[in-house]
Amino acid sequence: NPGRPVMSRQDQHQMGIISSLKPGQKTDGCLVCCNAPACCPLMSFLCPCCGESEYVIKQRSASTYIHLRENSLEWNEPSLILQPGVCCGVDPCLFKVQDQVHVMYYDDDMFLNISDQTRFCNEFLTCLLGGNGERIRLNGTQCCFGLCIRANSSCCMFVPICCPKAFCPCMLRHDIYVEDAQKGLYEIKKAREAAIGSEIH
C-alpha cells in the first residue's frame, strides 16, 4: 500500500500481536451489595444496590481486550444490548454482551494527542462511586483556539471540547480503560515508534 505504508499487507507478519495491555476492571461503588439475578439483569439499572448479573460480568470480562499489533492498536469495549425475544423482536428483561471493536493505525494523528486522563483521586472515587480503572485518552486535533475538537460527521465538523462523548458520539475521542495508565502509555508509544521507524514506513 504505497499510499499508506502502515496499512501494507505485503508482509502478513506485520499485523501480528506484539503485546497486550491489561484492561481496567469494572468496579461497583460502595452502595452495591448484591448482583442482579440472572433472570432479571435489568435490576442493575433500576436498583442502586444491585450490580450487574454474574453472567454479564463474565461475558464482558471474557470479551474485553487491548492488543498492540505491529501496525495498529486494537481494543474491544463490549456493551450491553437486549437479547432477541418475542416482544417486538427483543426480550426486555435479558441482556447479552455485544462486541465493539476499535482499530487505530499508528499513523493516525490521534496518537499525537494521547495522554493519561485518569480522574483525580481515582482509587477513592472508585471505592465510593465505582469505576473502570485508569483512563488513557486519544483526542482528535483541536480547533477554535482549543475550545473545540474535530468530529467525523458531515453535518457537525467539530464539537465543544467539554461535551461528553456520550452526547456527541461523532467526536474524535477515544477513552481506553487500563489497569495501569502510565505503563499503557509507554507500551503504546513504544509500539508506535517501532512501527513508524520500521521498513514499512
Side-chain angles (χ1 to χ4, degrees):
N1 188 345
R4 199 172 176 192
V6 77
M7 294 181 66
S8 176
R9 296 175 177 82
Q10 184 175 359
D11 185 358
Q12 295 182 356
H13 297 292
Q14 290 172 349
M15 291 180 276
I17 297 173
I18 57 176
S19 64
S20 297
L21 302 180
K22 195 166 184 179
Q25 297 297 316
K26 181 176 174 60
T27 305
D28 294 321
C30 62
L31 292 178
V32 176
C33 59
C34 62
N35 295 101
C39 61
C40 188
L42 190 63
M43 288 295 294
S44 61
F45 292 95
L46 301 177
C47 183
C49 65
C50 286
E52 292 181 336
S53 299
E54 291 185 3
Y55 83 90
V56 171
I57 296 174
K58 290 180 181 178
Q59 287 185 16
R60 190 197 297 273
S61 177
S63 301
T64 304
Y65 65 83
I66 306 169
H67 292 329
L68 298 175
R69 298 187 179 274
E70 294 183 46
N71 63 350
S72 61
L73 171 64
E74 177 184 328
W75 73 98
N76 187 19
E77 45 178 0
S79 61
L80 294 182
I81 64 172
L82 293 174
Q83 287 192 12
V86 297
C87 181
C88 299
V90 298
D91 189 326
C93 294
L94 296 180
F95 294 143
K96 66 172 292 188
V97 172
Q98 177 66 41
D99 290 330
Q100 289 192 98
V101 178
H102 305 269
V103 177
M104 288 188 62
Y105 290 91
Y106 291 134
D107 61 347
D108 195 301
D109 289 342
M110 292 182 71
F111 280 103
L112 301 176
N113 297 307
I114 184 172
S115 60
D116 178 358
Q117 292 293 324
T118 303
R119 60 185 175 177
F120 184 68
C121 292
N122 184 56
E123 292 184 3
F124 171 74
L125 291 175
T126 298
C127 180
L128 188 66
L129 304 172
N132 296 300
E134 298 185 0
R135 179 173 62 190
I136 294 176
R137 173 168 290 176
L138 293 111
N139 265 334
T141 307
Q142 298 179 10
C143 56
C144 304
F145 305 102
L147 298 176
C148 297
I149 192 170
R150 290 185 305 152
N152 58 4
S153 172
S154 58
C155 61
C156 182
M157 301 302 292
F158 54 87
V159 296
I161 197 168
C162 60
C163 189
K165 177 88 182 268
F167 296 145
C168 293
C170 62
M171 73 188 306
L172 290 176
R173 171 182 289 169
H174 295 293
D175 289 334
I176 305 174
Y177 289 93
V178 297
E179 187 178 78
D180 187 335
Q182 286 299 314
K183 180 181 178 181
L185 274 177
Y186 172 78
E187 293 292 340
I188 292 173
K189 290 180 178 179
K190 184 175 74 170
R192 180 178 183 271
E193 289 172 1
I196 297 299
S198 70
E199 294 180 357
I200 67 171
H201 215 77

